[in-house]
Amino acid sequence: MATELSSLTRGEERPELGRNLTYGLLDNLGRAIVTGRFEQEAFPTEAELAKQHGVSRSVTREAVKMLTAKGLLSARPRQGTVVQPTTSWNLFDTDVLRWLLERQFSVELLKQFNQLRVAIEPEAAALAARFADENDVQRISEGLERMKAAERGLDDTLEADIAFHVAILRGSGNPFYAQFRDVVTTALRTSIRFTNRIKGRTASVTDHAAVRDAIVARDPDRARIAMRDLIGDVLELIDKAEGKALPG
């Protein structure tokens, strides 16, 4: 991490919080909690945080309130603010997920995320085959075209892949599926980089085209199977990578 977290308690130097002091403090403390900084020591009081970071009590109070809403902290009578166990964290919160993915890399966490994907995205693809309107289909096709362009070095491979998957979630027409877009976007940034390193190439445009074509053909079963196969290949790669040295 760019700023030494040990300075949080010693006050030797203040971490840079950026222009938005509240979010800067939130990000700094969230990373510290997720990486285990407070496993062996008490979480600072609001007054201590304000002094350590050179911010007002209102800033620290708001940051602590936001961390509490994310499930990382709780306030208990006579115990003050304490760090919650991992089981209490809101894993669907994009900040929490980002902090988890940015800490020491975990193949197991990546596997769990893709197990969630295989439970969600194939059904989203099937729904898109039934309910996506012309604009939805256009966005899905644009995502695929971006992936083709990325293969020629004309677009960003990661952003193009993400755009394709997010367009399908939106195209499902189901707001609950659509709200997974931020979680999928955050986690795919790590998942795609990892699987591309294992394969030594970017995602298969052909496999993604099979999903798009099934949606265009209004064939829910084929769309579901194509998306399940696509994510199944990712899970297979992760299974093979477990216990092995990753490519540099």
Side-chain angles (χ1 to χ4, degrees), residues 118-133:
V118 83
I120 293 171
E121 292 192 65
E123 292 307 315
L127 287 172
R130 295 179 60 192
F131 301 117
D133 60 24

Side-chain angles (χ1 to χ4, degrees), residues 17-138:
L17 301 181
R19 292 183 179 180
N20 188 321
L21 295 178
T22 300
Y23 189 78
L25 183 59
L26 168 79
D27 192 56
N28 193 287
L29 293 175
R31 289 170 185 267
I33 292 170
V34 169
T35 55
R37 179 69 184 87
F38 300 108
E39 287 180 355
Q40 303 300 323
E41 59 185 78
F43 190 80
T45 65
E46 289 182 4
E48 290 169 338
L49 289 172
K51 182 178 180 180
Q52 291 164 8
H53 294 271
V55 295
S56 68
R57 290 284 293 273
S58 62
V59 168
T60 62
R61 189 174 301 114
E62 185 63 23
V64 168
K65 185 185 300 182
M66 293 167 73
L67 289 167
T68 300
K70 296 175 186 294
L72 273 65
L73 296 175
S74 69
R76 300 176 181 176
R78 295 186 295 278
Q79 292 185 23
T81 302
V82 298
V83 174
Q84 290 288 84
T86 307
T87 52
S88 297
W89 299 353
N90 179 7
L91 302 181
F92 290 105
D93 182 281
T94 54
D95 285 328
V96 176
L97 184 58
R98 175 169 53 83
W99 294 326
L100 282 167
L101 291 170
E102 288 178 358
R103 73 181 183 181
Q104 184 175 0
F105 184 78
S106 168
V107 175
E108 180 63 21
L109 179 62
L110 196 60
K111 181 178 182 179
Q112 291 167 348
F113 163 66
N114 280 284
Q115 287 169 340
L116 175 66
R117 286 184 64 203
V118 83
I120 293 171
E121 292 192 65
E123 292 307 315
L127 287 172
R130 295 179 60 192
F131 301 117
D133 60 24
E134 291 184 7
N135 290 331
D136 293 324
V137 172
Q138 181 178 347

Side-chain angles (χ1 to χ4, degrees), residues 105-107 194 197-198 237-238 240-248:
F105 184 78
S106 168
V107 175
F194 173 79
R197 285 171 61 196
I198 296 297
L237 283 171
I238 293 171
K240 290 179 180 179
E242 284 186 305
K244 296 181 180 180
L246 301 181

Side-chain angles (χ1 to χ4, degrees), residues 147-165:
M147 291 182 69
K148 293 178 181 178
E151 284 198 331
R152 304 191 301 273
L154 302 177
D155 205 329
D156 182 273
T157 55
L158 180 61
E159 296 301 327
D161 203 339
I162 288 172
F164 178 84
H165 287 277

